[in-house]
Amino acid sequence: MGGTVSGEHGIGTAKKEYLLRQLGEGGIGVMRRIKDAFDPSGRLNPGKIFSDKPIASAVRRSGGQDV
């Protein structure tokens, strides 16, 4: 439909399975680097969107399967 995944007020966690498809691995990589720059110890919302898995597995594809 041409829309985007938004991240305000928790909507992003409900739709995180679509992030990889929308942003690609490069976009997810940029987001992870920004988070790492501001939260190098990983204390803020640990595991909320990103885990310790590689970028492609940081979010899930549709159907809940890890990439």
Side-chain angles (χ1 to χ4, degrees):
M1 306 292 272
T4 61
V5 176
S6 59
E8 300 88 22
H9 309 288
I11 297 170
T13 57
K15 297 180 180 177
K16 73 180 182 178
E17 64 187 68
Y18 304 109
L19 284 177
L20 183 61
R21 184 170 62 184
Q22 181 179 349
L23 302 177
E25 288 188 28
I28 297 294
V30 169
M31 292 174 66
R32 285 188 87 161
R33 288 191 299 276
I34 291 169
K35 176 161 178 16
D36 290 344
F38 286 99
D39 182 25
S41 61
R43 293 183 183 184
L44 303 174
N45 292 321
K48 194 73 165 185
I49 295 292
F50 303 115
S51 66
D52 293 334
K53 295 179 182 180
I55 291 171
S57 297
V59 292
R60 293 173 179 259
R61 288 195 185 258
S62 181
Q65 298 287 330
D66 280 344
V67 176

